[in-house]
Amino acid sequence: MKCRKCGAPAAINMREHKLALCREHFLEWIPEQTERAIHHYRMVERGEKILVAVSGGKDSLSLWDVLHRLGYAADGLYIDLGIDEGIAYSSKSRAFCEQFAARQGLTLRVVSVPETYGRSIAEATRLSTRGRKKPCSICGLVKRHIMNRVGREQGYAALATGHNLDDEAAVLLHNAMTWSGGYLVRQGPVLPASRPGLGRKVKPLCRIYERETAAYALMRGIDYIYEECPFSVGSSTLYYKDVLNRLEEDRPGAKLQFYLSFLQAKDGGLFALNASGEAELHDCVTCGQPTSAPGKCAFCRLWDSLAPALPLPQDGLREGDGGQGEMGS
Ligand code: AMP
Ligand code: FES
Ligand code: ZN
Ligand code: ZN
């Protein structure tokens, strides 16, 4: 297998993109793709200060590295959750973040949950009386709270997390299995700062496969923690990732298509339906028939694109035109 750009032996074959690249070109390709996503979803502008939430894992450290290489002003935030029973998960992952920051000469902010708030995640889970009995759910809540607080207090324009395509597709599948409308409406590459006190959140790696971020970290020589958090064993996200990997195995690109079609459907008004289940309709500016998007209907857009234009019939329906406009049957 050869690199598509230079013909040298390929270091990675991405069946999902029908693309094989050598090490050098793959290390260029990942930042290019990330930059595209940043622009496409209008995540951040150049010069804006970004806070990257780093966990010590491959995704978030790769993200920090990519943003730095692209010239964004990005500081890191590590939240030490005090999960140190057994494999010393928190201490180890913190060390990877500190080592990365020191090597690259970047600023890392560290917030220790036990030191700042007096309790570790395990203790908070044990003592919780509020129905949250799983460490991961308490942990998620605590992390979101701290990320938002630090982002605001320190004047960052956006908080970036290392969520990759596999993470996003797994969450999407989970939310779709339970039709969690509230979560589905909010899921996406950017969560805008919808009210004062709530910062913008962005996921620049949302279109990058987990396998690709792992390869990037490896080829860039980024050391990261291989172990998963001990509390994540048997988590539903891991289960859904596994299911999606099996789909991907048969149909390379399936994960990306699943996620991107969801975003497209949302853009197209999937969640803007009225109570009777119909999308809000507009009158086509050319023919007057109902259409889901303002402006011209799909028929008029199609006809406009066909040259040379024929005059539309003045009376009666064309043969085969059921008069359904944009609404389908
Ligand atoms: P996870 O929920 O563990 O899959 O992590 C998703 C993203 O949240 C990571 O890519 C990081 O950006 C961020 N994150 C997770 N754990 C931490 C942590 N302890 N400190 C800072 N950011 C974190
Ligand atoms: Fe939060 Fe595992 S990292 S419970
Ligand atoms: Zn090459
Ligand atoms: Zn609060």
Side-chain angles (χ1 to χ4, degrees), residues 53-55 59-60 77-81 143 147 160-163 167:
V54 283
S55 64
D59 305 304
S60 48
L77 167 68
Y78 176 72
I79 300 167
D80 189 333
L81 300 150
K143 282 193 289 199
M147 287 175 193
T161 53
H163 292 97
D167 296 324

Side-chain angles (χ1 to χ4, degrees), residues 1-38:
M1 187 80 54
K2 289 187 175 166
C3 171
R4 184 194 292 171
K5 297 210 172 156
C6 71
I12 184 166
N13 179 24
M14 297 175 280
R15 284 205 309 158
E16 59 275 18
H17 305 301
K18 296 191 178 70
L19 178 66
L21 292 173
C22 68
R23 178 180 172 279
E24 183 195 334
H25 285 119
F26 178 68
L27 290 181
E28 277 176 14
W29 183 81
I30 289 282
E32 277 166 17
Q33 296 300 312
T34 310
E35 181 81 306
R36 271 198 196 184
I38 291 175

Side-chain angles (χ1 to χ4, degrees), residues 165 209 248 251 253-263:
L165 176 67
Y209 279 71
E248 182 80 23
R251 292 170 45 214
K255 253 183 260 186
L256 187 62
Q257 194 194 19
F258 176 53
Y259 183 60
L260 293 185
S261 332
F262 161 71
L263 295 181

Side-chain angles (χ1 to χ4, degrees), residues 164-199:
N164 58 40
L165 176 67
D166 295 50
D167 296 324
E168 291 302 284
V171 169
L172 176 59
L173 182 55
H174 189 176
N175 289 339
M177 290 294 287
T178 49
W179 291 118
S180 305
Y183 289 128
L184 287 166
V185 171
R186 285 160 54 84
Q187 190 182 351
V190 180
L191 203 55
S194 50
R195 54 174 65 210
L198 202 60

